[in-house]
Amino acid sequence: MKISTFWTSVGLLFFGVLASFNQERSPKQELPNILWLTSEDNSPFMGCYGDSFATTPNLDKLATEGFLYTHAYANAPVCAPARNTIITGVYACSGGNQHMRSNYRKSDEVKFFLHFLRELGYYCINNDKKDYNIGGSENTEIWDESSKTAHYTNRKPGQPFFAVFNTFITHESCLHQSIPAEELRHDPEKVPLPPYHPETQEMKHDWAQYYDKMEDMDVWVGEKLKELEENGLADNTIVIYYGDHGGVLARSKRYVYESGTRVPLIVRIPEKYKYLFPNAEAGTEVNRLVSFVDLAPTLLSVAGIPVPDYMQGSAFLGEQKTGKPEYAYMFRGRMDERYDMSRAVRNTKYRYIKNYMLHRIYGQHLDYLWKAPSISSWEKAYSDGQCNATQSAFWERKPAEELYDTENDPWEVNNLAGDPNYNDVLERMRQANRDWVLKINDTGFIPEADWANRFGTVAPYDFMRTNSINLEEIVDAADLASLGKKENLQELTEYLANDEPAIRYWGATGFLILDEDAQPAKELLKKAVYDSSPSVAIVAAEALYSLGEPALGEKMLLDKMKEGGFACTFALNAVDALNLNSKAVKETVHEILNNSSNNYSKWFAAYLVKKWERMETN
């Protein structure tokens, strides 16, 4: 017998035995099929979530047949880090995969959940987006099939399946080309706008167009559900639908607000698997806090696979279901070419946000985001003085902490962090954030421009679990530096002399945030621009420039721009913030544009060149 024929026979025998075994098992033991439907970049703008302007009959019907989760969250407000968290069951900021996009190594300890499903005999297909924010070949090797033609109907007889279908219909790019107003199905003049958006024509049009795309996405969901019915599989297939993060107009995607992290999540479980019901009857709402880090352990729990200890989420279905968590956690790192850092904590009533880079406004220009007409119109309205205080906040210095009562302030515009009546809530959620970042060994407190030198070939997840890192001291420095208080000058001075580069980075960042109040640190910063850490040197150079040392500040930024990698990208952020446009700066930027191997540095350089051209024209 030929070897290929032999293994084909073995495979058919195995799946025949598996099918026979499943038929003999009790309903509680039978492996369910799992159909996973994902739409991109959309918040729960749906009828079933109470949005009367939305047109989503298929999703509304699915909600009446299943369970609608009212507090479901993406841990990251952008796709690649969010998908990394899903596929690993580990927060992307714990694994070192939070920056959008990046290709840092995954720890060998952390396995994609598909590994366990396939070991059990599941046929796993993906149609077809991956985008897991991880370097290496494992991205393509984890599926039985991942392509635009992958389908569960290609499995062996009797084989259970896990099938992912992803739609791009609601993706941010759907707003890059405006549909003529007369062709829109949702009226721009009737669209409900959030209070932070001004009523520009472009803003109203983009919102209406987005609602049209939500309706188109709903049709796609209906087609997938009909296909499942026609294949006779609806009665033994669990259907899970969710949006891959919030979106998509400005101040949603990429930002750790409700608008960027809250997602629709609907789970339909056939009657034969009623033992998996979440203590409720089908057609009801579930108010348990669920976030993407919970999806991997939940899938393993549903399949009866022990959840490995490294997974950081909690199963919300199956025999390994846990009690209700008190909090869900979110994170924001580099978004393409722009640096920022925030962490957020959410319970069922309040959202707490900790901002670590107060010197960067939320409304930093980002190439991809600015392709939508709506944000340019918002920026112009602000520059023309046509925005109220709520609409202006996006373009102005952000606070160190934000606290919102989401029940009474669903758009999160009334910051309660300074209200003494909420001190207890603020302190509890502030502590919850600190406890979480320490528990998961959050890599974000080490600046990315230093990663190549510090991590080397070691996966960030593994590096953060060595004895060489005292994360608690680093977080202490970040917390104090990001308060922006003049009375902390002595502590910041001590940080700048610390042996730990990340602590020196946060000391320098504290001085940069203080701006003119950092004058007493000028001599220290003159030394810090020669620091072995590129991140420390760049931050110190930016601070020095603003403290009356423009020549030295610009010289050191030019040096770091020429280093390449993410040190260059980080330095370009400072060049833009300082509005540098000397001949030397322009020559270096053009060199980056023409020769850099880092796309984000090239994009930033292209933006600066266009910015200078506009300045010369005006």
Side-chain angles (χ1 to χ4, degrees):
M1 179 184 292
K2 292 182 179 179
I3 292 176
S4 59
T5 306
F6 169 75
W7 283 114
T8 299
S9 300
V10 170
L12 290 172
L13 176 62
F14 169 76
F15 288 115
V17 170
L18 178 63
S20 174
F21 179 54
N22 276 340
Q23 289 172 3
E24 294 171 2
R25 298 167 89 187
S26 68
K28 188 170 181 177
Q29 293 175 314
E30 182 180 340
L31 291 175
N33 300 319
I34 301 169
L35 176 62
W36 185 312
L37 303 177
T38 307
S39 57
E40 298 204 38
D41 300 10
N42 61 273
S43 302
F45 300 123
M46 302 168 185
C48 53
Y49 277 92
D51 190 332
S52 59
F53 196 70
T55 312
T56 52
N58 292 296
L59 285 162
D60 298 348
K61 182 175 184 291
L62 184 65
T64 66
E65 300 167 344
F67 303 95
L68 182 146
Y69 285 80
T70 60
H71 291 82
Y73 294 93
N75 301 106
V78 70
C79 56
R83 288 168 183 264
N84 174 273
T85 302
I86 292 170
I87 203 75
T88 61
V90 170
Y91 294 100
C93 58
S94 180
N97 308 107
Q98 72 272 27
H99 295 302
M100 177 69 188
R101 286 185 170 86
S102 55
N103 59 357
Y104 299 106
R105 273 197 58 206
K106 177 181 72 61
S107 169
D108 291 339
E109 180 185 349
V110 176
K111 299 184 184 303
F112 293 160
F113 69 74
L114 295 157
H115 167 83
F116 303 101
L117 292 178
R118 292 181 70 185
E119 269 192 343
L120 191 61
Y122 271 90
Y123 180 68
C124 297
I125 69 100
N126 179 50
N127 190 324
D128 72 320
K129 184 171 181 177
K130 295 182 288 291
D131 204 16
Y132 304 129
N133 229 32
I134 292 173
S137 61
E138 190 169 2
N139 287 347
T140 58
E141 297 171 352
I142 58 174
W143 298 94
D144 287 296
E145 184 180 0
S146 180
S147 70
K148 293 186 183 299
T149 59
H151 206 280
Y152 51 80
T153 53
N154 297 329
R155 73 197 189 284
K156 298 292 192 299
Q159 186 178 9
F161 67 79
F162 172 75
V164 175
F165 290 88
N166 186 90
T167 179
F168 208 65
I169 293 171
T170 50
H171 186 266
E172 178 178 16
S173 56
C174 74
L175 299 181
H176 292 173
Q177 295 294 325
S178 293
I179 298 171
E182 61 272 16
E183 296 179 17
L184 293 174
R185 300 184 297 274
H186 291 80
D187 187 348
E189 296 305 318
K190 296 180 180 178
V191 68
L193 294 182
Y196 50 76
H197 279 167
E199 294 188 5
T200 66
Q201 288 303 309
E202 295 88 345
M203 185 67 73
K204 290 186 289 186
H205 185 282
D206 276 4
W207 268 106
Q209 183 164 317
Y210 183 53
Y211 270 100
D212 275 11
K213 294 299 180 180
M214 287 291 292
E215 183 178 1
D216 294 341
M217 182 271 291
D218 180 79
V219 172
W220 175 86
V221 170
E223 291 170 351
K224 295 301 176 189
L225 296 176
K226 181 181 179 183
E227 185 178 51
L228 189 70
E229 292 273 359
E230 290 174 345
N231 281 298
L233 294 167
D235 291 339
N236 61 350
T237 301
I238 295 172
V239 176
I240 301 175
Y241 161 77
Y242 68 92
D244 75 339
H245 52 74
V248 65
L249 281 87
R251 196 189 181 265
S252 56
K253 181 179 179 180
R254 302 181 184 88
Y255 302 96
V256 288
Y257 289 115
E258 195 83 346
S259 52
T261 60
R262 187 180 178 218
V263 297
L265 172 64
I266 302 171
V267 180
R268 187 179 74 184
I269 304 173
E271 188 70 20
K272 69 188 300 182
Y273 304 116
K274 192 170 183 177
Y275 65 90
L276 292 172
F277 281 17
N279 300 326
E281 290 302 312
T284 58
E285 295 182 354
V286 180
N287 67 358
R288 175 187 174 117
L289 281 166
V290 171
S291 66
F292 284 175
V293 76
D294 301 326
L295 291 175
T298 298
L299 287 172
L300 300 191
S301 178
V302 165
I305 302 169
V307 177
D309 291 340
Y310 69 79
M311 285 191 176
Q312 296 169 345
S314 302
F316 57 89
L317 294 171
E319 292 185 355
Q320 297 171 82
K321 176 184 174 182
T322 70
K324 291 183 178 181
E326 185 176 4
Y327 299 112
Y329 304 93
M330 296 96 185
F331 51 88
R332 165 177 161 84
R334 173 177 55 76
M335 295 294 168
D336 295 343
E337 69 269 28
R338 288 290 185 172
Y339 279 95
D340 202 352
M341 179 175 169
S342 300
R343 298 293 182 265
V345 179
R346 181 72 160 84
N347 63 19
T348 55
K349 181 173 173 62
Y350 295 101
R351 174 181 296 270
Y352 168 81
I353 299 174
K354 171 62 178 173
N355 294 310
Y356 294 93
M357 296 179 67
L358 311 190
H359 53 293
R360 297 290 185 253
I361 64 171
Y362 276 131
Q364 295 184 80
H365 186 282
L366 196 141
D367 183 72
Y368 202 77
L369 176 58
W370 255 253
K371 291 181 184 298
S374 47
I375 190 167
S376 294
S377 74
W378 186 9
E379 184 179 32
K380 185 177 187 305
Y382 171 73
S383 63
D384 290 347
Q386 297 172 355
C387 291
N388 59 32
T390 296
Q391 295 160 355
S392 298
F394 187 73
W395 308 99
E396 297 172 352
R397 188 181 176 102
K398 55 184 179 288
E401 295 180 300
E402 300 174 63
L403 180 68
Y404 300 101
D405 177 351
T406 61
E407 290 181 357
N408 296 302
D409 178 21
W411 290 111
E412 296 171 322
V413 296
N414 183 25
N415 184 9
L416 303 173
D419 189 331
N421 294 316
Y422 293 89
N423 279 348
D424 289 346
V425 176
L426 181 68
E427 289 175 8
R428 283 199 306 273
M429 299 189 82
R430 177 191 295 147
Q431 187 64 45
N433 179 64
R434 178 182 170 80
D435 292 345
W436 170 62
V437 299
L438 292 174
K439 181 179 179 180
I440 67 167
N441 290 286
D442 192 326
T443 62
F445 291 87
I446 310 293
E448 188 185 23
D450 290 6
W451 283 20
N453 292 333
R454 298 206 66 176
F455 297 166
T457 59
V458 177
Y461 177 94
D462 296 328
F463 182 87
M464 296 299 292
R465 284 155 179 78
T466 68
N467 293 328
S468 63
I469 288 290
N470 187 328
L471 184 58
E472 188 166 8
E473 290 185 356
I474 297 171
V475 171
D476 284 343
D479 283 344
L480 183 137
S482 57
L483 291 177
K485 293 185 177 180
K486 187 177 180 179
E487 55 264 36
N488 293 329
L489 278 170
Q490 181 58 42
E491 288 90 341
L492 294 175
T493 299
E494 293 170 3
Y495 291 159
L496 205 54
N498 199 282
D499 290 338
E500 166 57 55
I503 291 179
R504 297 200 301 275
Y505 164 77
W506 286 110
T509 299
F511 287 129
L512 178 56
I513 290 171
L514 284 173
D515 197 24
E516 283 298 321
D517 287 337
Q519 282 288 350
K522 185 187 290 189
E523 294 306 312
L524 288 173
L525 291 168
K526 285 182 181 179
K527 296 177 181 178
V529 294
Y530 298 100
D531 198 284
S532 58
S533 159
S535 301
V536 176
I538 290 166
V539 173
E542 183 179 349
L544 264 183
Y545 191 97
S546 300
L547 292 173
E549 297 286 343
L552 180 57
E554 180 175 314
K555 176 183 180 300
M556 300 314 297
L557 288 174
L558 284 169
D559 286 350
K560 297 308 173 185
M561 288 161 64
K562 295 172 184 176
E563 281 191 12
F566 282 111
C568 176
T569 312
F570 193 40
L572 285 167
N573 275 253
V575 166
D576 184 44
L578 294 170
N579 289 313
L580 303 188
N581 61 357
S582 68
K583 180 181 178 182
V585 168
K586 288 182 176 180
E587 288 175 350
T588 304
V589 167
H590 277 93
E591 179 71 17
I592 293 166
L593 178 61
N594 294 327
N595 299 306
S596 177
S597 60
N598 183 314
N599 282 336
Y600 297 122
S601 294
K602 290 175 74 77
W603 292 348
F604 213 126
Y607 160 70
L608 288 174
V609 169
K610 290 178 182 176
K611 175 182 173 182
W612 295 330
E613 289 174 351
R614 287 195 303 270
M615 290 171 61
E616 291 172 1
T617 301
N618 295 333

